[in-house]
Structure formats: C-alpha cells, structure tokens
C-alpha cells in the first residue's frame, strides 16, 4: 500500500513571522493526521523551518534546485547547499518555473538528476495547460515531460521520487480537476511507468495539485491512483492544510 503524502508548496509567500505561526499551527494539529506531511519553503526560510521542525514528523524541502553543484551561477541554489539544511524534498519542474522562467523539459530533467545526486527526493511536476487539454493532447504533454526525466535518469530513478500531476488550468484558479479527470491522468502516468517497470509504478506516490482544498481533498485522494496532494494556497493556512492532511486517511 502506498502511503498518502500531503506536501505544501508555499511558493513565494510568507515571512519569518508568518511561517513560525503557520508551522506552530500545523504541528499542534498533527495528532490525528495519518498521512505523511511535508512543506516546501522559500530558500531563505529553510534554516528557520529546519529549526522549527526538529524532532517533528513533518518533512520539508525546497521549491527548486540548480542543475549544477557550484560555480558562477548567480542567484542559484545547489543540492549541496540544500543539504546543509537537512530537508528531504525538492520540487522540480513546477509549471510556474516552466512557464514564467522558461524552464524546458531538459532543464527539469537535469534538476531531477541534481536532486538525486545529493540524496534529495524530487517531486517532479507534470501537467497540461488549458489549451493543451482542450486540444486533446494532455497525455502527450505529460508523457513528454516524464520521458525527458526517464531518458536522462532511467525509470528506476522514479523509485526514489514523487510525481505530482498539476493541470496548469487548475493551479490557483479554484478550478479543481474532477476526481475522474485527475484519476484518468494519474492512471495514465502509472500505466506508462508500469510498461517500463511494474514495481516502480506500483510504489510511486503520484500527487494531485491544483486548487486542492479541505472540501475536495478526500474525494480526490480516494481515487485509486491519487496518493496525496501538492498544495499551494491552502497550505498557507494551518487549518486548511491540516484539513487536507486529515482527508488523506
Ligand atoms: P494551488 O493549490 O494554489 O492551486 O497551487 C497548486 C500548486 O501549484 C502546488 O504546487
């Protein structure tokens, strides 16, 4: 049985003060949460998050990683630097990185490789735009995004990774994918990976992301191939995030 994982992606939100309050709230409410829980923080708050989550079951990580390990890459943060802060996860290929910062499939694959090289668990984001869904190419897009990583790292690399299906049209819009729409794509992802390695596919946590909230989380997570959520807006409010975590079983 795959464990449910609920991961918060804080994006570029918060302050030292608000993050302290948020983590205090989440920690206080974890008593009845059975899911694995993690938060992905802005780089500059990782030291605070590390301190505040010491001794807690809540995992944490970053939202991006440099493809390279060190050198003249102004503004970048590398895997060895992230390791200084002890986190487990790093998001790679979020649609905002792809669309706003021109990150191509090949860049995402290199970031995935960098995460693995430094013992971090990549949360690989895939998903189609509204235009792509309407023109019927959702599966082609998701397959292309997965293939870039599999070509570079091999399918076995997914054994130590998480995939997040995040339809771009559902992110921050309140337009959640229906449980059936999401399940269809999750089953496609698992099936595609199973064709290469059935064991890897069976163990892979595939999260849904895109306007997941406490009131729609249980139905989404109850789908056969949805193993949790990657949460944006609702991860910034302790009670909302905990509501989703509790919906995870
Ligand atoms: P929202 O939950 O705000 O739609 O964001 C989802 C997301 O992009 C998580 O990575």
């Amino acid at each position: 049985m795959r464990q449910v994982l609920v991961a918060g992606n804080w994006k570029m939100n918060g302050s030292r003060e608000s993050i302290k309050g948020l983590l205090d709230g989440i920690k206080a409410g974890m008593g009845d949460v059975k899911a694995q829980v993690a938060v992905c923080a802005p780089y500059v708050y990782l030291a605070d998050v590390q301190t505040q989550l010491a001794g807690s079951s809540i995992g944490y990580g970053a939202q991006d990683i440099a493809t390279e390990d060190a050198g003249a890459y102004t503004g970048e943060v590398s895997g060895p630097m992230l390791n200084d802060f002890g986190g487990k996860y790093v998001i790679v290929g979020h649609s905002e990185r792809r669309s706003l910062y021109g990150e191509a499939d090949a860049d995402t694959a290199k970031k995935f490789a960098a995460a693995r090289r430094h013992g971090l668990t990549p949360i690989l984001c895939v998903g189609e735009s509204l235009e792509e869904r309407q023109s019927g190419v959702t599966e082609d897009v998701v397959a292309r995004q997965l293939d870039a990583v599999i070509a570079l790292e091999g399918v076995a690399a997914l054994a130590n990774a998480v995939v997040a299906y995040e339809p771009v049209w559902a992110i921050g819009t309140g337009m959640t994918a229906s449980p059936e729409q999401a399940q269809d794509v999750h089953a496609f992802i698992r099936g595609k990976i199973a064709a290469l390695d059935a064991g890897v596919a069976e163990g892979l946590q595939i999260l849904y992301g895109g306007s997941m909230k406490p009131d729609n989380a249980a139905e989404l997570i109850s789908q056969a191939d949805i193993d949790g959520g990657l949460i944006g807006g609702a991860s910034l409010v302790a009670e909302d995030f905990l509501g989703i975590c509790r919906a995870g079983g």
Side-chain angles (χ1 to χ4, degrees), residues 38-108:
V39 296
C40 292
Y43 293 132
V44 291
Y45 298 129
L46 282 172
D48 286 7
V49 170
Q50 178 182 32
T51 304
Q52 284 163 43
L53 292 183
S56 122
S57 63
I58 303 169
Y60 63 94
Q63 302 169 12
D64 194 14
I65 183 172
T67 58
E68 309 303 320
D69 292 350
Y73 302 100
T74 301
E76 292 290 281
V77 173
S78 70
M81 292 174 177
L82 293 179
N83 280 340
D84 272 343
F85 298 94
K88 173 173 181 183
Y89 295 100
V90 61
I91 297 172
V92 298
H94 192 279
S95 68
E96 286 148 19
R97 301 299 320 169
R98 294 177 189 264
S99 67
L100 301 174
Y101 303 98
E103 192 170 305
D105 293 334
D107 302 318
T108 297

Side-chain angles (χ1 to χ4, degrees), residues 145-171:
Q145 293 169 333
L146 289 170
D147 281 339
V149 168
I150 294 169
L152 188 67
E153 288 287 276
V155 70
L158 289 168
N160 298 308
V162 174
V163 170
Y165 169 57
E166 299 206 309
V168 178
W169 48 272
I171 295 176

Side-chain angles (χ1 to χ4, degrees), residues 11 94 164-178 182 207-213 216 220 228-233:
K11 308 192 180 183
H94 192 279
Y165 169 57
E166 299 206 309
V168 178
W169 48 272
I171 295 176
T173 59
M175 265 171 52
T176 321
S178 70
L207 313 184
Y208 168 80
S211 299
M212 196 186 264
K213 307 287 176 201
N216 60 28
L220 283 158
L230 185 57
I231 319 301

